[in-house]
Amino acid sequence: MARSVGARDKVRPKTEADRLVRPVPGPRRDLWICAILFLATFAVYFQVRHHEFILYDDPDYVTDNLHVRGGLTPEGVAWAFTTGHAGNWFPLTWMSHMADCQIFGVDSGAHHLINVLFHALAALLLFAVLRRMTGAVWRSAFVAFLFSLHPLHVESVAWIAERKDVLSAFLWFLTIWAYLGYVKRPGRGRYLMVMVVFSLGLMAKSMVVTLPIVLLLLDLWPLQRIGFGRRPLPNGRGSVGRILLEKVPMLALSLGVAVVTYVVQRRGHAVMPLDLIPLSQRLANALVSYVAYVADMLWPARLAVFYPFPLHVPLWQPVAAGLAVLAVSILALRSIERRPYLAVGWFWYLVTLTPVIGLVQVGSQARADRYTYIPTVGLSIALAWGAAEFVRSRPRLRTAMAAAAVASCLACAALTWRQAGFWQDTISLFRHSLSVTSGNFLGYNILGVALRDRGRLEEAITSYREALKIHPQFEEALVNLSRALSEQGRADEALTHVAAAAQIKPDDVEAQYNLGTELADRGRFAEAVEALQIAVRLKPDYAKAHANLGSALANLGRLDEAIAQFNEALRIDPGLADVRKNLEAARDLQRESGGKP
């Protein structure tokens, strides 16, 4: 009996394009979800419009950065692409900060709200890509709401210096969206679009280097471009070789950016040498961190902006953590045919955390909440799809599971509101951090800086001394203690501490600058010149160091050199009125002595 065309249409195998372009019932529902997601994000984070800049990275990135404060200029853009300032290479992020300064000036509230906007847009894109790939509305919405409202992500959103996180996440999900378009209808133009957006992501934050591996995971599920086990590919389509070849240009870009980032961080002295933190300690901390991040996602309590690297980790902790990671990985692989979302979600988490897990230790933190911004999306996917499968055979639990999902999102929103409140200023943030961590020498030091800025010198000195009790060789705290003591008129103590800092770390620019300043205040101008020359060599665009070097040289009668240093200081920062006066005075002395004006 002949079959009708309609019958043949009903049984024909689905193609790759069919899977990517699923029927979209209820587009209004999707729009409502997007609207609620966007408004919920701003409702939780809108308080940051009243928050200040934080005295931790924000000065390097914005408030004390003359290149950024100058706005978007040809010189600034050239600097953004060539600098390794603050131990990073992310030209797009630099230009984003420049654009903010161009439009809003140094208005912390506006800078904060731009972070929130990028975060909200990233959440919308996450919902869109999951919805497009899987056709699942509520699971996709749940993952997007967790991403948007989870307190573990407050650090990435409420910290202006973490613009790189929210900007790179927006471009991460935009790259996946472009990739879905390419998979649906392969072509050079669409592939070029993927490469362009991916390149922009790499220029926002180097952590995007893992995205090609994540795209391979998505090829496995839900795109089903790669077969596994006994599962056949639809219509026999999908060449593993071709799919891998697609990723080669992206992997090449990732490798290049990884090398550039490592070199920049090494030159910026951000990479900890192995003699300070041995590989065994790094591996132990990495294994523990993999488990700690999962725990923080499930129970986000005692979150802090800085977690000190532990001096000693009990052997049982990394052993137990390593076994746990191995066990989950084996279970995910064994269930890959029946539950591929578990493997994709788990390995998304492991892979995206790898660059920041601490095997190449950058900074002195054990871990950081901001590192979970993209990785926990994988865990959320595994959780959402796993819960949906659990209730599929237990329909009576469907309502309870939906209620639990809503309740978890509301609980996250409340916790995020509270956590964001700690970011209102430096004092509030670091007092909270000190209350939930131990051995936090960096926290005491930055709290001291904030207290000193408020004129609370005695409290600042106490805080610096607490930092030095924990870490006696912490040169930054020694420098800051010296400044506070100097302001109190305790000159000899101040000089002792700053000299110790310069001896501990001769390449610390602030130690050399403060040593030179203290020596100059005591009339020891020749010694001051030596220290300040080191400071300007270490940081050529340090305007105040050039200015103080000029003053010391002038006091030694080396007027030509002094005038050159004053001119350099004014070239870097034309707003230094006192330097202009000193320059005129040096020129007058030069004329009186018969030299060239």
Side-chain angles (χ1 to χ4, degrees), residues 497-574:
H497 289 297
V498 76
Q503 187 174 11
I504 291 168
K505 195 171 182 181
D507 59 354
D508 185 287
V509 63
E510 292 299 329
Q512 296 295 342
Y513 170 76
N514 282 275
L515 176 59
T517 302
E518 291 293 334
L519 290 167
D521 286 345
R522 286 155 187 72
R524 296 163 62 176
F525 298 114
E527 295 170 82
V529 165
E530 290 181 14
L532 291 166
Q533 283 177 333
I534 295 172
V536 298
R537 187 177 71 247
L538 292 170
K539 188 177 179 181
D541 61 349
Y542 199 164
K544 290 182 179 179
H546 284 286
N548 285 1
L549 176 56
S551 297
L553 289 166
N555 277 286
L556 290 173
R558 296 159 63 176
L559 296 176
D560 290 344
E561 296 173 77
I563 289 170
Q565 292 298 325
F566 291 141
N567 280 325
E568 181 63 12
L570 290 169
R571 184 193 67 78
I572 297 167
D573 187 355

Side-chain angles (χ1 to χ4, degrees), residues 7 109 176 190 250 257 361 383 393-394 490 519 522 525:
I176 296 176
R190 290 181 178 83
M250 301 180 75
V257 169
Q361 182 68 30
L383 177 64
S393 58
R394 301 167 180 84
R490 298 156 69 177
L519 290 167
R522 286 155 187 72
F525 298 114

Side-chain angles (χ1 to χ4, degrees), residues 451-482:
L451 291 167
R452 175 176 168 265
D453 280 358
R454 301 282 179 91
R456 295 155 64 174
L457 283 178
E458 278 299 335
E459 292 176 80
I461 288 170
T462 299
S463 195
Y464 295 141
R465 293 194 190 281
E466 287 296 325
L468 291 168
K469 283 182 184 177
I470 300 167
H471 187 354
Q473 301 295 302
F474 188 24
E475 74 286 342
E476 191 174 327
L478 287 166
V479 169
N480 290 331
L481 177 59
S482 169

Side-chain angles (χ1 to χ4, degrees), residues 93-275:
T93 296
W94 286 127
M95 288 188 284
S96 171
H97 287 302
M98 290 173 186
D100 280 3
C101 290
Q102 182 84 33
I103 300 168
F104 308 114
V106 191
D107 176 356
S108 62
H111 288 248
H112 276 300
L113 288 179
I114 296 298
N115 267 26
V116 178
L117 176 61
F118 275 118
H119 177 58
L121 293 175
L124 293 178
L125 275 171
L126 173 57
F127 170 70
V129 297
L130 289 175
R131 176 78 171 91
R132 186 179 182 186
M133 286 191 297
T134 66
V137 177
W138 298 115
R139 281 166 280 180
S140 302
F142 178 71
V143 173
F145 272 93
L146 274 188
F147 174 79
S148 171
L149 303 176
H150 201 285
L152 203 55
H153 297 165
V154 168
E155 184 173 299
S156 295
V157 184
W159 191 2
I160 290 171
E162 285 309 305
R163 170 67 55 80
K164 54 185 179 287
D165 265 8
V166 292
L167 180 57
S168 64
F170 169 76
L171 292 165
W172 175 287
F173 298 125
L174 191 59
T175 301
I176 296 176
W177 183 267
Y179 181 72
L180 297 181
Y182 163 75
V183 170
K184 174 187 172 185
R185 294 178 61 190
R188 291 183 180 179
R190 290 181 178 83
Y191 187 78
L192 180 61
M193 180 59 69
V194 175
M195 291 297 293
V196 168
V197 182
F198 174 61
S199 299
L200 291 173
L202 290 172
M203 289 190 286
K205 187 176 183 180
S206 58
M207 198 170 167
V208 178
V209 295
T210 56
L211 181 51
I213 308 301
V214 170
L215 293 180
L216 278 174
L217 291 173
L218 297 178
D219 285 332
L220 183 69
W221 180 90
L223 301 184
Q224 297 180 24
R225 301 179 73 209
I226 301 175
F228 46 84
R230 293 180 297 276
R231 176 175 294 185
L233 289 168
N235 286 346
R237 297 183 64 179
S239 163
V240 174
R242 177 175 65 83
I243 291 169
L244 291 174
L245 191 61
E246 291 171 353
K247 310 303 184 298
V248 169
M250 301 180 75
L251 290 168
L253 276 178
S254 293
L255 179 60
V257 169
V259 170
V260 168
T261 300
Y262 179 76
V263 170
V264 165
Q265 289 175 340
R266 285 274 297 186
R267 288 179 179 175
H269 307 288
V271 178
M272 290 289 178
L274 285 171
D275 58 343

Side-chain angles (χ1 to χ4, degrees), residues 21 31 46 53 72 83 160 186 321 328 357 369 393 426 429 455-456 483 510 517 581 587 589:
V21 188
L31 289 175
F46 197 64
F53 288 101
L72 275 172
T83 187
I160 290 171
V328 175
I357 202 61
D369 295 350
S393 58
T426 307
L429 177 64
R456 295 155 64 174
R483 287 174 175 168
E510 292 299 329
T517 302
K581 293 177 183 178
R587 284 173 173 167
L589 287 172

